[in-house]
Every structure is written in C-alpha cells, then in structure tokens.
Amino acid sequence: MIKKLLLVTLAVGAIFISLQSKVLADDDPCNNPDQQQACDDYINQTQKALNDARGQEKTLQSQLNLIDTQTKLTTSKIEETNFEIAKLEQEIGDLSGRITRISGSVDSLSQVLLDRIVETYKYGNVTPVDLIFSSNGFSDLLERLKYTEVIQANDKKVLYQLQATKTAYHDQQQDRQTRQQQETKLQADLKTYQQDLTTQKTAKDQLLRITQNNESVYQQKIEAALAEQQAILSILSGGGNEVQNGQVSKGDAIGNMILGASACSSGTHLHFEVHQNNQLRNPSNFLSNKSVAFDNSPDSPFSFTGSWDWPISDPIRIEQGFGNTWWAQHGWYSNPPGHTGIDMFSSSSLAVHAIHDGTLYQGGIACGGGTLHYKRVDHGDGTSSLYLHVI
C-alpha cells in the first residue's frame, strides 16, 4: 500500500517540485523599492504556486516545498510592508513639515488681517463730510476715495488667502492622519507576517523531526492517521461493535489509557471526543477552563470555555487539538473534518473518568491491522462522550 502510494505521490511531487523550483529560484524583487509592480507580480505568482501545491498528492517533499513557498511568500510580504511603512513615514514627515509652514502662514495672514481690520475701523469712523473738508482739493478727495477702495480690495484678498490657507492646512492634516492610519494598519500586518514566518519555520522543523526526514515514515504516519479517522467516522455512524456496561456517574473511573502503542495509536494517550446528535463537536467548547501544557504539539495553544470536568487527572498535556490542526494542514487527515477530537495525556495516572452521568458502552473497531478500543458514555440528551485508546 505504502509503496504504491509512494510511486504516485513521488511522480506528482516531481512535477510540483519543478514548479516550486522555478518560483523559489527567482530573485525576490520585494526588497527593491524601485520594483513595486514586479513585487506585486512575484507575490501573485508565489500565491498561485501555493494554491496549486495544496491540491497536490501528499508527500514529505511536497509538504516541505509547501512550507518553503509559504515562507517565501511571507518573507516577500514582510519586505513589501517594510517598504510601504518607510514610504509612509517619509510622506508623514514631509506633510508634518508642510503643516508647520502652513500653520506659520495662517498666523502671519491672521495678524495682517487683524491689523487691516483695526485700520479700516479707524478709517471707517470718518464721515463723507469730514473726508471732503479734510481733503486738499478735489484731486486729493479722489485719491482718498481710491485709497479706500484699494484698502477694501486688499482686505478681501487677504481674507481669501487666509481662507485658502486654512483649507490647505485642513487638507494636509487630513492627509497626514490618513497616512498615519495606513501606517498603523501596516505595522499590525507586519507583526502578523512576522508571527506567521516564525510559525512556518517551526512547522518545517517539526515536520522534519516527526518524520525523521524520511518519506516512508511520513507515509506510514499518514496511513495510520487516516485509518484512525475512518474508524472514528465509522463509530460516529454506528459502526462500532459496542456492548453496554450499565450506568455510570460523573467522575466514575470507566477505564485506563492503553500503555504504549496500540491500533492506530503511536503511544499512550486519550483521544477524547464529543458527539451531539450524531455530529462531531469541538471538545474545547465543553471542557472547563484550566491550566494545561501544550506538549509536543505544533498547534497554537487554545482555550477551554465549557463547564465539564476533565476525563483525566492533572497535570494534563495536550498533544493535538480539534479540527484543522497543524497535522491536518500537513496531510495527516482528510480535511474536513480534520482531527475529530483532542489528544491528551496525564503523567500522574492512566485512569479515565466519565465527564457526566450516563450509560456506558465498550466497543472496538478494526484499525491499522488491529482493534481500536474505546469507551462511550451516552448522556441521554443527544450528547455522547467518546474515549479512544482506552480499555
């Protein structure tokens, strides 16, 4: 089975590797500020290669190439974002200098206008009769009238300039604020990309460690995980060979984790599931919040938001979460549904306890050339808790 799968996957993988090599061999233009369009094209091309990779048959090499492409894409996004941030900071600095100069112009024009208003007010107290009798002849009167018109026109001009300058000041302020908001968003994006890059590098290290950089080991682990997933889905649809063991109360011991490797299990642990109306549910939504260790798990830590007691004793280590886990993302399971429960282990006891009152069933189903043993408690409200790798 594994050899046949390897022949197919390696053939498909060779095509994918060729595509990947072309993408990854190209120089990344995103570290050159003069090649913005080339950077955008490069990111789009890399994203397409990444999307194509997700549809390829799973091999260790294809998964490593997938991670490398993700890393390359994230690195390009970081470089592009850094360039955009530097550009915005330069523009914000220029706008700040412009705003300072405009602010000075507003102050200067405001003072000129204020002075003109004072002078106009003083001159406005002179009546036409006073103006006539104070003038030295008709020509002097005309000069004074003309001067008044010039003053009024100049005042209007200063007022217009002040209004235009204030409008420009407001526009520059708005422009700077918009760019500052853009920079804040880019800084948040940059932080996310940097976290993604760290996660991707860790994922590659984890994959190499778990598979020992060996294609056969990778395929064996995938085959075992897929067999376990299929067995669990068969149990969910009523395919488990179950025997009723009577009623149990919350907290009662219902069995023990199998010590060491067993059918579709590489080592001692409890695979805990919740079924509700014959549908898989996320156990973290049912288990109560408590301090646990995420041991030997590439998955990011997650929280528990329910009210149920836990099926094993402290201290508890979580080895894998529910759904689209790191393992599901790298070929271990069909996704969806991904990982169907939560893998956990206690270093203090092998005992497994019922999380609520109900009817206890003991079952077993073929898996990986052996029998996957489990216990199930039907809680009578359409909800069941399932305890795998338990006798």
Side-chain angles (χ1 to χ4, degrees):
M1 172 67 180
I2 295 175
K3 288 183 179 179
K4 183 178 179 181
L5 180 61
L6 279 174
L7 290 174
V8 176
T9 54
L10 289 176
V12 177
I15 300 173
F16 170 65
I17 293 168
S18 176
L19 171 63
Q20 290 295 98
S21 298
K22 182 180 185 304
V23 172
L24 297 177
D26 293 337
D27 291 333
D28 186 350
C30 292
N31 54 16
N32 188 334
D34 297 327
Q35 299 188 53
Q36 186 60 42
Q37 185 58 52
C39 174
D40 292 340
D41 293 342
Y42 181 83
I43 287 177
N44 291 335
Q45 182 186 16
T46 308
Q47 183 66 61
K48 182 180 183 302
L50 185 61
N51 294 337
D52 292 342
R54 291 194 174 103
Q56 298 293 329
E57 195 74 36
K58 305 303 183 192
T59 68
L60 176 58
Q61 188 59 57
S62 74
Q63 291 302 296
L64 291 172
N65 285 336
L66 177 63
I67 295 173
D68 285 341
T69 306
Q70 289 173 323
T71 301
K72 192 72 174 176
L73 180 61
T74 303
T75 301
S76 297
K77 288 181 177 179
I78 288 174
E79 291 170 350
E80 183 182 43
T81 304
N82 276 323
F83 167 71
E84 289 295 330
I85 289 173
K87 180 181 175 184
L88 279 172
E89 287 178 344
Q90 178 63 46
E91 291 173 350
I92 290 169
D94 293 343
L95 283 169
S96 296
R98 221 174 293 155
I99 288 168
T100 300
R101 292 192 295 273
I102 293 175
S103 178
S105 297
V106 170
D107 293 340
S108 176
L109 287 170
S110 297
Q111 186 60 50
V112 169
L113 185 59
L114 180 61
D115 292 342
R116 293 305 313 141
I117 289 172
V118 171
E119 290 299 320
T120 302
Y121 175 76
K122 290 179 180 179
Y123 197 72
N125 290 331
V126 179
T127 66
V129 176
D130 292 335
L131 187 60
I132 292 171
F133 284 104
S134 64
S135 300
N136 296 321
F138 184 72
S139 61
D140 186 34
L141 175 61
L142 290 177
E143 288 292 331
R144 291 193 179 203
L145 290 172
K146 185 177 180 181
Y147 178 67
T148 302
E149 292 176 0
V150 170
I151 288 175
Q152 291 173 342
N154 187 65
D155 288 348
K156 289 181 181 179
K157 181 179 179 182
V158 172
L159 182 61
Y160 173 79
Q161 289 176 337
L162 178 60
Q163 186 60 45
T165 305
K166 284 184 175 180
T167 300
Y169 178 79
H170 178 265
D171 291 345
Q172 297 291 315
Q173 287 275 37
Q174 286 292 103
D175 200 9
R176 181 174 67 175
Q177 184 178 6
T178 299
R179 281 168 167 73
Q180 287 172 334
Q181 291 171 346
Q182 291 173 345
E183 183 186 13
T184 299
K185 180 183 181 301
L186 285 173
Q187 290 286 5
D189 290 344
L190 180 61
K191 184 176 181 181
T192 300
Y193 294 148
Q194 289 170 336
Q195 291 171 344
D196 289 346
L197 185 61
T198 299
T199 300
Q200 289 155 7
K201 289 180 178 179
T202 302
K204 184 174 182 177
D205 292 340
Q206 290 277 5
L207 187 58
L208 289 171
R209 179 183 60 78
I210 292 168
T211 63
Q212 303 163 32
N213 198 16
N214 185 293
E215 185 70 44
S216 294
V217 172
Y218 175 78
Q219 295 298 337
Q220 288 167 3
K221 288 182 177 295
I222 284 182
E223 190 172 28
L226 289 173
E228 181 190 45
Q229 184 187 54
Q230 186 56 51
I232 290 170
L233 294 177
S234 295
I235 295 172
L236 183 63
S237 62
N241 183 22
E242 297 185 354
V243 176
Q244 183 175 331
N245 287 152
Q247 300 298 305
V248 292
S249 300
K250 174 183 176 180
D252 285 352
I254 58 174
N256 293 291
M257 287 178 277
I258 298 173
L259 187 62
S262 60
C264 293
S265 171
S266 58
T268 305
H269 74 283
L270 168 67
H271 177 101
F272 178 70
E273 291 191 11
V274 176
H275 298 172
Q276 196 171 58
N277 300 322
N278 294 322
Q279 297 292 322
L280 290 166
R281 294 291 183 260
N282 188 344
S284 63
N285 296 332
F286 294 84
L287 295 171
S288 60
N289 187 33
K290 72 183 309 178
S291 177
V292 297
F294 289 82
D295 183 42
N296 194 35
S297 173
D299 290 335
S300 299
F302 50 90
S303 59
F304 301 90
T305 58
S307 60
W308 289 0
D309 289 341
W310 284 64
I312 59 177
S313 304
D314 293 331
I316 295 172
R317 304 199 318 256
I318 303 297
E319 295 179 345
Q320 187 175 184
F322 173 84
N324 187 28
T325 63
W326 180 91
W327 312 84
Q329 294 169 23
H330 291 87
W332 259 249
Y333 306 98
S334 297
N335 195 29
H339 192 237
T340 55
I342 294 179
D343 289 345
M344 61 182 75
F345 173 74
S346 170
S347 57
S348 64
S349 173
L350 295 176
V352 177
H353 305 272
I355 49 86
H356 267 305
D357 301 348
T359 304
L360 177 65
Y361 294 85
Q362 179 173 325
I365 191 166
C367 187
T371 301
L372 189 161
H373 296 281
Y374 68 93
K375 302 290 180 77
R376 183 175 69 86
V377 178
D378 184 344
H379 302 293
D381 58 354
T383 304
S384 294
S385 51
L386 197 68
Y387 313 78
L388 275 74
H389 312 305
V390 172
I391 55 172

